[in-house]
Amino acid sequence: MRIFFVLDYLSGRGGVETVVSTVVKSLEEKGHSIYVFLPKQSEDTRWEKNLNNVYYYSQNESGTGSGLEVISERSIGLAMLIHELELPDVVVATHTPHTALYSRVALGYNKHIPLVSWLHNPPERFHNYEFINYADIHWAISKGIKEKLKGIVLNAQEIYWIGNPLNLEVPQLQIDSSQHYVFIGRLENKQKRLDILFKALANLKHRWSLDIYGSGPDEEMLHNLALELGIHESINMKGWVENPWKDIRNITSLVLTSDFEGFGLVVGEALSRGVPVISTDSEGPKDMIINGSNGWIVPVGDITELTKTFERIASLSSRDLHQISIQALKSVQNFSIDQVLNRIKYSLSNYIPNERWNF
């Protein structure tokens, strides 16, 4: 079976790249022909080099021009590429709502080729999120996003929660009570809200340490904030590391204080290693974290409650943390690649016969 994945511009280092690569490789292993379409090369092209069939559909390298000019140029470019290739069985317009529009213009209303929309953030985080209505089917990476899509999509029966795939074949990490915390992600405070994390940690009376893996536009601001709060000696800024999990040894918990997360891939990566997670109650993490069982959920932007959560964790014994680690490992079994692929298969069952899936 031939499946086209249409994406918008990517940096090359994010969760979207990881998820798309995982799904693409898994489908290829099952005998399907997969093609990935990008407007132009990513800033970091290493993820693209691991894919077999990558095409670029934009002739405008700068991406400048009016909104209508960009939409027209990308839609025409995609249409020309699809015309040159054998028609697909399925098109997955992923990453942003605009890819659903590009794909619909390129395909026309061909009833034999289902068009899927697959957003990787809550819809309200995008301009023109109503463009997803050009798709026939909608995949939601979290149950919270699925509920939001019901208020946008004209045909709510074609919305399916599929989650995101996690690699569950990873080594378990040692969890201890040393109050050693880890953040992994882009240092972009508007979403990730590391200022909330720093202020909560500054309230603590007991000793703690925080390793930060990532880079981004707010790195200097966060360094200055740590100095201002007097906590800089307890924070180790590691910078961007390709696979931080290989660097992490003992850990008490991962921390994610974002205002929003479509899924929160790093949450799943932590849980699959037996690492408890402290997270705000954004859409994706709420699908994976059971408060007090495999981690802790705190309200978005609530410094007081986050401080209390750190204090509660400090009171736990090593035995308590071990039990939470066991629950973390159990909690992510529903996110295996096979489970995700089965949900994808079910979502397309009205369009693609089961015998064509090979799994």
Side-chain angles (χ1 to χ4, degrees):
M1 189 163 61
R2 293 167 61 81
I3 305 175
F4 289 1
F5 285 82
V6 181
L7 296 98
D8 225 318
Y9 176 73
L10 289 163
S11 69
R13 293 181 175 180
V16 175
E17 295 90 325
T18 300
V19 170
V20 170
S21 296
T22 300
V23 171
V24 165
K25 288 296 183 184
S26 299
L27 288 169
E28 286 180 335
E29 288 172 4
K30 296 181 182 297
H32 302 290
S33 298
I34 310 299
Y35 297 77
V36 174
F37 297 84
L38 295 162
K40 60 181 180 178
Q41 284 190 332
S42 306
E43 178 184 343
D44 186 335
T45 61
R46 281 177 293 181
W47 80 285
E48 296 177 27
K49 293 175 182 177
N50 289 324
L51 303 173
N52 290 322
N53 300 300
V54 178
Y55 292 85
Y56 304 104
Y57 60 86
S58 176
Q59 301 301 312
N60 183 354
E61 288 294 323
S62 67
T64 57
S66 68
L68 182 58
E69 288 171 338
V70 171
I71 288 172
S72 299
E73 187 268 333
R74 291 189 175 184
S75 299
I76 293 170
L78 183 60
M80 292 173 64
L81 274 176
I82 292 176
H83 179 72
E84 293 172 6
L85 299 166
E86 183 183 340
L87 284 175
D89 297 291
V90 180
V91 175
V92 181
T94 186
H95 184 202
T96 71
H98 286 77
T99 58
L101 175 58
Y102 305 152
S103 300
R104 177 55 71 200
V105 173
L107 286 174
Y109 281 89
N110 189 326
K111 294 183 179 180
H112 302 292
I113 304 176
L115 174 58
V116 180
S117 171
W118 186 22
L119 296 182
H120 290 271
N121 263 318
E124 70 272 14
R125 296 296 167 181
F126 298 103
H127 294 298
N128 303 119
Y129 58 75
E130 67 278 4
F131 285 169
I132 60 173
N133 276 297
Y134 287 106
D136 305 299
I137 300 165
H138 306 271
W139 293 345
I141 61 174
S142 72
K143 293 174 182 176
I145 288 179
K146 179 180 178 181
E147 290 304 309
K148 290 182 175 180
L149 291 178
K150 288 179 180 179
I152 299 169
V153 172
L154 301 179
N155 186 359
Q157 292 181 334
E158 295 291 353
I159 304 172
Y160 299 89
W161 171 74
I162 65 165
N164 265 346
L166 299 173
N167 178 12
L168 303 185
E169 302 299 321
V170 291
Q172 185 177 353
L173 293 181
Q174 180 66 41
I175 309 305
D176 64 34
S177 56
S178 63
Q179 307 310 300
H180 176 56
Y181 298 99
V182 171
F183 169 88
I184 301 174
R186 180 168 167 77
L187 303 188
E188 195 278 305
N189 199 58
K190 186 176 181 180
Q191 177 189 357
K192 299 298 184 180
R193 296 308 305 274
L194 283 156
D195 61 323
I196 297 294
L197 173 58
F198 284 13
K199 289 173 183 177
L201 290 170
N203 289 333
L204 300 178
K205 305 302 181 186
H206 61 265
R207 295 187 65 176
W208 54 268
S209 60
L210 172 68
D211 286 348
I212 295 178
Y213 292 87
S215 60
D218 293 325
E219 189 168 350
E220 183 177 356
M221 181 276 286
L222 292 167
H223 175 74
N224 292 336
L225 178 60
L227 286 170
E228 180 185 328
L229 294 170
I231 60 174
H232 58 284
E233 293 184 354
S234 298
I235 297 176
N236 187 4
M237 304 283 278
K238 298 274 192 174
W240 188 84
V241 176
E242 186 166 358
N243 187 355
W245 294 110
K246 288 185 177 179
D247 189 58
I248 298 169
R249 297 294 180 263
N250 293 352
I251 180 175
T252 303
S253 175
L254 180 86
V255 189
L256 190 68
T257 48
S258 304
D259 274 0
F260 65 93
E261 289 286 344
F263 182 75
L265 186 61
V266 71
V267 174
E269 290 174 344
L271 295 174
S272 65
R273 290 167 169 80
V275 177
V277 179
I278 307 168
S279 175
T280 48
D281 56 350
S282 48
E283 283 90 349
K286 287 194 296 186
D287 279 359
M288 294 178 278
I289 300 173
I290 302 169
N291 194 32
S293 175
N294 62 350
W296 301 268
I297 292 287
V298 298
V300 167
D302 194 329
I303 298 171
T304 300
E305 189 56 39
L306 182 57
T307 302
K308 290 179 181 178
T309 298
F310 281 124
E311 291 170 343
R312 283 192 288 269
I313 294 170
S315 70
L316 297 175
S317 66
S318 295
R319 180 183 177 86
D320 292 333
L321 285 171
H322 179 67
Q323 291 302 313
I324 293 171
S325 176
I326 292 172
Q327 293 305 313
L329 289 168
K330 292 179 179 179
S331 66
V332 290
Q333 298 308 306
N334 202 28
F335 295 94
S336 70
I337 182 60
D338 284 341
Q339 292 274 21
V340 171
L341 290 182
N342 282 333
R343 291 192 286 269
I344 287 174
K345 175 182 174 181
Y346 177 77
S347 75
L348 292 164
S349 58
N350 290 332
Y351 299 85
I352 308 295
N354 283 342
E355 57 268 21
R356 299 190 62 191
W357 281 103
N358 300 329
F359 63 88

